[in-house]
Each structure stands twice: as structure tokens, then as C-alpha cells.
Amino acid sequence: MKGRGGIGRSGAGRGRGRGSFRRGSTNHHKANTILDKRPRELTVSGFNESDKDEIITHFAEFGELEKIEYNNANHTLVIGYHSRLEAEGAASKGQHFKEIVLKMAWHKPAPEVVILEEDVESGLGNALQPDDEDNEELNDDLLIDDEDEEDDEESRGWRR
């Protein structure tokens, strides 16, 4: 029998409606393609300088360490982990060291600003700032655009 339904129909079990149902079909690859840009580094403070090596050993228990920096000026330790998950584990479980409660925060490095000497020497820095006469012309142009927008709003009042 040809047509809809009945015995011998082609595409048996397809169902009706939108979409499709595929058994055993999952999108595991989506989880692997997401890039986690959250910080993986912790700033640790509130410890004695003599305990620095022991603290590094303490935080190594929570995962693979990729970065270890000690700042002598403010006695802080920046510890970077291989993954965010490891860093989160260290942040939640590594707070207690001996009888000390360590202070921890996510380390966010300052963005690097690069100034090329060629740009400064060639005067490109000044080229980005228009002259005062150009500013006056730009301001007049902006005022004219604002007036045009007001006229458009008045003529479209009946469409709302």
C-alpha cells in the first residue's frame, strides 16, 4: 500500500511533527570546543615568608602547577594551575594551611600595553587628534543629523 500509514510504509517509526529523534545521538564534541577564559591563577597572601616553599607544596596537591611567582614587595604568591577546575579546587580546599587561614583571590594580570617607537617618532599620535576647525565642522554635522532624526520620529508617529 502506498501513501500514508499502513503496512509497508517507507520511513517507519519516523513520527509526526517538527524535529527529529535520533537514538544514541549526543553532541559530546560541544563540551570540548568551549574555551574557558576565566582565570586559572590564584593570588595567595597572609603567610610568613619562611613558609613559602611549604605553601607551594600544599597547593601542588590540588593539581598541576603551571606558574609560581613570589612578590617580595607585598609577600604574595601567584599560583597558576593547568585547568580552571584544579584552581577552583585549590580555592575552596586550600584555604587552611597549618593553623593559618590564607587569603586568596583570583589573579587577573594587568593587560599589556605596547607602544611602538615608530608611531611616536612619525607623529601618528598627533594624527589621531583632529584640529579645532575640524571639531567645529564635526559638531555642526552631528547637530544636523539630530534634527533629521527628530523629523523622522514625527513622521512615523502614525505607525506605532
Side-chain angles (χ1 to χ4, degrees):
M1 176 175 12
K2 291 189 176 185
R4 294 186 195 181
I7 302 173
R9 63 184 173 162
S10 62
R14 287 183 52 188
R16 297 178 68 185
R18 294 184 181 188
S20 64
F21 176 75
R22 288 183 252 155
R23 291 184 185 185
S25 174
T26 56
N27 291 328
H28 292 291
H29 66 280
K30 284 186 181 179
N32 294 334
T33 60
I34 297 172
L35 179 63
D36 191 358
K37 293 185 177 184
R38 295 177 296 173
R40 297 175 293 158
E41 299 173 352
L42 293 169
T43 302
V44 182
S45 60
F47 59 90
N48 294 327
E49 187 177 355
S50 60
D51 293 334
K52 179 179 73 168
D53 293 332
E54 292 180 47
I55 287 182
I56 293 171
T57 306
H58 171 69
F59 280 101
E61 296 174 7
F62 301 106
E64 181 182 344
L65 298 180
E66 286 189 343
K67 177 180 178 181
I68 300 169
E69 289 181 6
Y70 182 72
N71 186 339
N72 287 326
N74 55 8
H75 302 292
T76 58
L77 192 61
V78 176
I79 299 175
Y81 285 92
H82 178 70
S83 71
R84 171 70 183 205
L85 186 63
E86 293 172 342
E88 287 176 354
S92 64
K93 298 175 185 174
Q95 194 172 16
H96 299 285
F97 175 73
K98 294 184 179 178
E99 296 178 7
I100 303 170
V101 176
L102 301 172
K103 296 176 187 174
M104 292 189 289
W106 292 108
H107 178 70
K108 297 177 186 172
E112 294 181 21
V113 178
V114 178
I115 299 175
L116 301 176
E117 292 180 25
E118 296 171 5
D119 291 344
V120 174
E121 291 173 3
S122 65
L124 289 178
N126 294 334
L128 296 176
Q129 299 174 351
D131 296 336
D132 289 337
E133 294 175 11
D134 292 337
N135 280 338
E136 290 177 14
E137 290 177 19
L138 290 175
N139 290 335
D140 290 340
D141 290 341
L142 291 174
L143 290 174
I144 292 171
D145 288 342
D146 286 343
E147 291 172 3
D148 291 341
E149 288 177 12
E150 289 174 6
D151 293 340
D152 290 342
E153 289 176 11
E154 290 173 9
S155 63
R156 284 187 279 163
W158 59 273
R159 293 185 201 171
R160 291 181 187 170

